[in-house]
Amino acid sequence: MVCARAALGLGALWAAAWGVLLLTAPAGAQRGRKKVVHVLEGESGSVVVQTAPGQVVSHRGGTIVLPCRYHYEAATHGHDGVRLKWTKVVDPLAFTDVFVALGPQHRAFGSYRGRAELQGDGPGDASLVLRNVTLQDYGRYECEVTNELEDDAGMVKLDLEGVVFPYHPRGGRYKLTFAEAQRACAEQDGILASAEQLHAAWRDGLDWCNAGWLRDGSVQYPVNRPREPCGGLGGTGSAGDGGDANGGVRNYGYRHNAEERYDAFCFTSNLPGRVFFLKPLRPVPFSGAARACAARGAAVAKVGQLFAAWKLQLLDRCTAGWLADGSARYPIVNPRTRCGGRRPGVRSLGFPDTTRRLFGVYCYRAPGAPDPAPGGWGWGWAGGGGWAGGARDPAAWTPLRV
């Protein structure tokens, strides 16, 4: 009886202490910590956690349920003293706190505030509802359930529908450290792709003969058409399915992320808005691209936005246009003569001279943004002269009826 009372008192004290911690723990202390996971083979606690096998799939802007249920082996236990905790795995032994609940007290952390909540579908349901999914939400999550003395955990993988695209900046190929590759992808509306995403892209036909950083710090590249400059004609140095006549994913392994330089493989997902091609009255230098898009309530599209529009919205246009990084590209869904080859994809003209080369522009309009110059309007120079004479400065442009 004394032991039982002591255990009960300890449990109450534990619950009260956790309640204080739940409400007062600073968010900064919840990220980047190391966590050691102990596995006891042949033993089972009274808390049993079940998560969905495989993975769940969503897209940017979507709502997804990360499934997790628990039950007690002994029916005498209640649920009031159970702590539910969701964390995201950022490294093999590093976790970021996502959500924690103890009884009626719930708290989400960091970027998950206002987006994460328990599904609450009856006793034993620890499933997490995640709204407005972002690119950064991709990855593995741990659902941990703890009572006074025992705990158990399960893993759920959240995958995103999207597209992998290779990227290097204007400075040329093999110029990016790992951190610079992360920033480059973010600037083009993406994140560094995972090895799994690159392998899936290779299976879908991606063929790229330049090595790039992935999110785990490895450097790889996909080859669907084996050739001597791209790892040879055989399977040496390839990973995954294939690796012979079918090519493979060439893997350089984990590289020194602060000293070695490569390209990047980025990943992006569904667009909430729309990418469209804008052809002004006359092609424009790069300096005029932003003003031309702004006239239509839009911004110059980023490389990731063009890839997403090509892959997920089936944008097809056989006309090169400026993008936000100063490159010129165009998306082809249905390959045809004089449109860059026999395979679908986003064609690149590289980084043309921004002052002398003239193109149209690919613009991105966010959802709900009005178009201040709907059909029937374009941009040009008022007062006569046009491009042949008069004011050529894009700052002097005014809307003209066409």
Side-chain angles (χ1 to χ4, degrees):
M1 177 67 74
V2 174
C3 292
R5 289 178 179 174
L8 182 61
L10 179 62
L13 179 61
W14 178 90
W18 177 255
V20 174
L21 177 63
L22 177 66
L23 296 176
T24 61
Q30 307 298 323
R31 296 190 290 271
R33 59 185 171 77
K34 295 290 183 181
K35 176 177 178 180
V36 178
V37 180
H38 298 282
V39 177
L40 302 178
E41 296 184 0
E43 297 183 12
S44 176
S46 62
V47 180
V48 179
V49 173
Q50 298 173 329
T51 54
Q55 62 191 25
V56 293
V57 181
S58 185
H59 56 81
R60 177 165 51 183
T63 297
I64 192 67
V65 175
L66 305 182
C68 178
R69 297 196 66 86
Y70 68 94
H71 66 274
Y72 289 134
E73 293 181 349
T76 56
H77 290 283
H79 295 267
D80 293 339
V82 172
R83 178 182 64 135
L84 310 177
K85 187 174 185 180
W86 281 91
T87 54
K88 184 182 180 186
V89 183
V90 294
D91 280 317
L93 291 178
F95 291 64
T96 296
D97 286 350
V98 174
F99 187 90
V100 66
L102 178 64
Q105 301 178 82
H106 296 183
R107 180 176 179 182
F109 297 94
S111 64
Y112 296 93
R113 290 194 183 107
R115 299 194 299 123
E117 63 182 2
L118 290 180
Q119 179 175 252
D121 187 16
D125 184 20
S127 301
L128 189 72
V129 179
L130 191 57
R131 305 183 189 281
N132 192 23
V133 172
T134 69
L135 295 175
Q136 291 71 27
D137 292 339
Y138 169 86
R140 292 188 301 137
Y141 292 79
E142 180 185 80
C143 172
E144 182 182 40
V145 180
T146 307
N147 68 359
E148 296 174 1
L149 301 175
E150 297 154 329
D151 62 49
D152 195 10
M155 287 286 182
V156 180
K157 182 181 179 183
L158 172 59
D159 200 1
L160 298 179
E161 298 172 344
V163 58
V164 172
F165 61 96
Y167 186 76
H168 70 85
R170 176 178 288 275
R173 300 193 183 279
Y174 293 173
K175 299 292 186 181
L176 302 173
T177 64
F178 179 74
E180 290 168 344
Q182 288 179 310
R183 288 195 295 272
C185 288
E187 290 170 358
Q188 299 308 318
D189 191 49
I191 58 174
L192 275 178
S194 69
E196 294 87 353
Q197 289 169 332
L198 183 64
H199 189 266
W202 167 73
R203 291 175 64 90
D204 199 35
L206 180 61
D207 182 274
W208 195 255
C209 193
N210 292 284
W213 290 106
L214 298 178
R215 65 184 297 154
D216 63 357
S218 66
V219 173
Q220 306 183 32
Y221 64 99
V223 175
N224 263 287
R225 293 176 287 110
R227 49 211 185 269
E228 286 297 340
C230 302
L233 298 175
T236 303
S238 64
D241 296 336
D244 42 41
N246 296 321
V249 179
R250 315 301 194 210
N251 192 341
Y252 288 0
Y254 299 99
R255 313 305 297 181
H256 195 296
N257 60 22
E259 295 183 0
E260 299 189 37
R261 295 177 181 271
Y262 299 94
D263 292 349
F265 284 103
C266 308
F267 173 84
T268 192
S269 185
N270 185 59
L271 286 174
R274 172 175 170 262
V275 172
F276 61 95
F277 180 76
L278 179 62
K279 184 178 181 180
L281 292 179
R282 297 181 184 274
V284 297
F286 180 68
S287 59
R291 185 171 175 83
C293 288
R296 299 296 301 270
V300 182
K302 301 177 180 180
V303 175
Q305 291 170 337
L306 184 63
F307 269 91
W310 162 72
K311 182 71 173 181
L312 304 173
Q313 299 178 354
L314 302 182
L315 180 63
D316 184 283
R317 180 88 189 196
C318 191
T319 310
W322 292 113
L323 293 180
D325 66 340
S327 64
R329 308 177 192 241
Y330 60 100
I332 296 297
V333 174
N334 301 308
R336 50 204 183 271
T337 305
R338 294 185 295 181
C339 288
R342 296 177 294 177
R343 298 169 63 90
V346 175
R347 316 286 194 240
S348 175
L349 275 62
F351 293 86
D353 187 309
T354 57
T355 58
R356 296 187 178 184
R357 295 296 301 274
L358 306 177
F359 297 98
V361 55
Y362 285 95
C363 306
Y364 172 74
R365 184 182 297 120
D371 183 355
W377 287 90
W379 278 86
W381 291 271
W387 183 259
R392 298 187 184 186
D393 182 2
W397 287 6
T398 56
L400 301 175
R401 179 75 68 177
V402 295

